[in-house]
Amino acid sequence: MADLTLPTRPEPPEGAEDVWLHCIECGHTLPPFDGVVFTCPECDGLLEVRYATYPTFADFEGDERVWRYAAALPFEEGVSLPEGGTQLHEVPRIEESVGVRNLRVKHEGMNPTGSFKDRGMTVGVRVAQELGVDRLACASTGNTSAALAAYGARAGLETLVLLPAGKVAAGKIAQASLHGARILEVDGNFDDCLDRVQDLAERGEAYLLNSLNPFRLEGQKTIGLEILERFYAEEGRFPDRIVLPVGNAGNTAALYKCFRELVQSGALAPGDVPKLTGVQAEGAAPMVEAIREGNAETRRWPDVETIATAIRIGNPVNAPKALPGIRETGGTAVAVSDAEITDAQRELAGEGVGVEPASAASLAGLRKLADAGEVSAGEDVVCLTTGHLLKDPDAAAKAGSEPEPVPNDTDDILAHLAGKDVDGGLLGRLRRLL
Ligand code: F0G
């Protein structure tokens, strides 16, 4: 049974009795919209959003979208495209080959800009409006920048994105560019970009919308709410395990917060909390290392590399929020190779689910844990696939089959399909000439 640290209810700061910010390190509290803060003004610890009351499932109403869950969010509505309500796919062939009771794939690539980041941005950009800031910024491995550019554009705000030069997939840069962000390519990796954007934010030059921003994670909690509601509607119980790719560990932190709040309200029994299971690429696995070694913090990996560029991250800033989530839910963390990621990407595509490499890491990790006997055959599992196949067309093309050049002639095409060499179409061309 999960033994979660519940959101306690210390005195909220004066004038902010419904919603406030709470430092997870020193317990300092502060009003949510009294100026721009990203970390605790007392100790620089991570902040999280706290509420006077936490909702049960009966409090959610409306379409299956992010704002259905307004009772769990700091606002009633936000800058919306709209986002959320993504499919929970059945994947029967993969389910059988992995060998679990039920396997579902929650495909977050079906959000408006093609990744789960939209859920955080609808809330984050709403907060930026509340604060009256005029320039938004993020560091990104690509998807955050695409989402920020689109939601910023929708809100009519200037957006600035800092990307690691040469390490962002083509689809994501194209999105950020067309939605009108100013794109700064930094000579460094994602962690360096995040350092730079934090400096800019501290100097008051921009409002930071990375997952260090606690309001982003509020929107991302809705992934967990949707999974629990939908799985329960289909199966009459909650899933045993949620497997997700981990980069900056924002999603892991958001799901953990979702579960804690539901347990706090009584909507979810501690015994029903899904085990949070994080997957990283072998070349960028500081969270896996921290879980394996029992550390309270991650060690910064200076050199990171993986085909899954979205999770090419060596210093997960949300680790202090996410590590307890993995531990308290009885989950684990596992690293997978690039080859395992590509195999999983092909497998998902073979069931019609097109995902980018980082997303396929979830399935690769599940398979690895199942093969090692760490996931049992009786489990109901949901794998989160975080971004769409078209985000990284180059990786998809490499993982897929080669195009075959054929002559512009039906007989030659049939001969080619039958495995006959058609001499570069010479026969067809001769026939057409006669
Ligand atoms: N999957 C995809 C497709 C992502 O883009 C990211 C993060 C993750 C997983 C990891 O999520 O950080 O919450 O653990 N992408 C960020 C970005 C870093 O800049 O787009 P996390």
Side-chain angles (χ1 to χ4, degrees), residues 132-212:
V133 301
D134 46 23
R135 188 199 263 163
L136 313 177
C138 71
S140 183
T141 56
N143 283 322
T144 301
S145 69
L148 178 65
Y151 283 79
R154 187 83 179 174
L157 294 169
E158 187 189 341
T159 58
L160 186 62
V161 305
L162 280 74
L163 308 181
K167 294 294 182 182
V168 176
K172 305 173 189 182
I173 299 186
Q175 288 179 291
S177 155
L178 190 60
H179 286 302
R182 211 156 155 199
I183 303 174
L184 305 185
E185 288 194 324
V186 177
D187 177 21
N189 61 26
F190 168 82
D191 305 298
D192 300 319
C193 293
L194 190 52
D195 288 345
R196 297 288 73 74
V197 91
Q198 274 184 262
D199 282 349
L200 291 175
E202 270 161 31
R203 293 186 196 189
E205 294 292 335
Y207 184 65
L208 176 147
L209 273 166
N210 282 98
S211 54
L212 192 63

Side-chain angles (χ1 to χ4, degrees), residues 35-90:
V36 177
V37 284
F38 303 106
T39 52
C40 177
E42 298 290 320
C43 76
D44 207 30
L46 294 178
L47 296 172
E48 74 175 15
V49 183
R50 290 274 172 98
Y51 302 85
T53 55
Y54 293 98
T56 68
F57 289 108
D59 296 315
F60 304 136
E61 45 192 37
D63 284 357
E64 284 191 36
R65 298 272 185 196
V66 164
W67 293 99
R68 167 180 173 74
Y69 302 101
L73 301 172
F75 292 101
E76 287 297 309
E77 56 187 8
V79 179
S80 180
L81 286 171
E83 48 293 308
T86 54
Q87 291 84 345
L88 193 59
H89 293 288
E90 294 187 6

Side-chain angles (χ1 to χ4, degrees), residues 58-352:
D59 296 315
F60 304 136
E61 45 192 37
D63 284 357
E64 284 191 36
R65 298 272 185 196
V66 164
W67 293 99
R68 167 180 173 74
Y69 302 101
L73 301 172
F75 292 101
E76 287 297 309
E77 56 187 8
V79 179
S80 180
L81 286 171
E83 48 293 308
T86 54
Q87 291 84 345
L88 193 59
H89 293 288
E90 294 187 6
V91 284
R93 290 191 292 270
I94 304 177
E95 177 182 274
E96 200 187 330
S97 77
V98 171
V100 287
R101 181 182 184 191
N102 268 293
L103 176 60
R104 298 280 203 284
V105 173
K106 174 83 167 158
H107 191 16
E108 285 293 294
M110 300 310 290
N111 275 297
T113 77
S115 86
F116 69 94
K117 307 287 181 179
D118 298 342
R119 294 178 187 266
M121 286 306 169
T122 186
V123 178
V125 173
R126 174 71 186 83
V127 174
Q129 289 177 321
E130 187 75 12
L131 293 167
V133 301
D134 46 23
R135 188 199 263 163
L136 313 177
C138 71
S140 183
T141 56
N143 283 322
T144 301
S145 69
L148 178 65
Y151 283 79
R154 187 83 179 174
L157 294 169
E158 187 189 341
T159 58
L160 186 62
V161 305
L162 280 74
L163 308 181
K167 294 294 182 182
V168 176
K172 305 173 189 182
I173 299 186
Q175 288 179 291
S177 155
L178 190 60
H179 286 302
R182 211 156 155 199
I183 303 174
L184 305 185
E185 288 194 324
V186 177
D187 177 21
N189 61 26
F190 168 82
D191 305 298
D192 300 319
C193 293
L194 190 52
D195 288 345
R196 297 288 73 74
V197 91
Q198 274 184 262
D199 282 349
L200 291 175
E202 270 161 31
R203 293 186 196 189
E205 294 292 335
Y207 184 65
L208 176 147
L209 273 166
N210 282 98
S211 54
L212 192 63
N213 183 320
F215 294 105
R216 273 255 328 258
L217 301 187
E218 292 306 288
Q220 289 172 210
K221 284 189 316 197
T222 62
I223 299 175
L225 294 167
E226 282 182 15
I227 289 176
L228 295 181
E229 272 200 319
R230 191 83 63 86
F231 197 92
Y232 193 88
E234 290 175 13
E235 300 294 331
R237 56 185 185 271
F238 297 113
D240 298 302
R241 187 182 295 273
I242 296 179
V243 187
L244 75 164
V246 176
N248 233 358
N251 246 353
T252 317
L255 288 171
Y256 170 50
K257 188 168 193 284
C258 163
F259 302 153
R260 287 158 67 214
E261 293 181 354
L262 290 171
V263 171
Q264 174 88 59
S265 76
L268 186 67
D272 284 340
V273 174
K275 297 177 172 65
L276 280 175
T277 302
V279 187
Q280 294 195 295
E282 276 172 0
M287 287 282 290
V288 177
E289 179 182 71
I291 289 288
R292 192 180 51 232
E293 296 180 2
N295 298 336
E297 288 173 10
T298 46
R299 181 177 65 87
R300 184 171 179 143
W301 286 28
D303 300 310
V304 280
E305 202 49 85
T306 167
I307 185 181
T309 51
I311 51 171
R312 186 175 169 274
I313 294 176
N315 186 33
V317 287
N318 287 297
K321 288 181 173 178
L323 288 169
I326 292 175
R327 293 192 172 114
E328 291 178 15
T329 60
T332 186
V334 64
V336 292
S337 68
D338 282 359
E340 287 165 335
I341 288 173
T342 303
D343 284 348
Q345 192 188 17
R346 286 196 193 101
E347 258 188 293
L348 285 161
E351 295 248 35

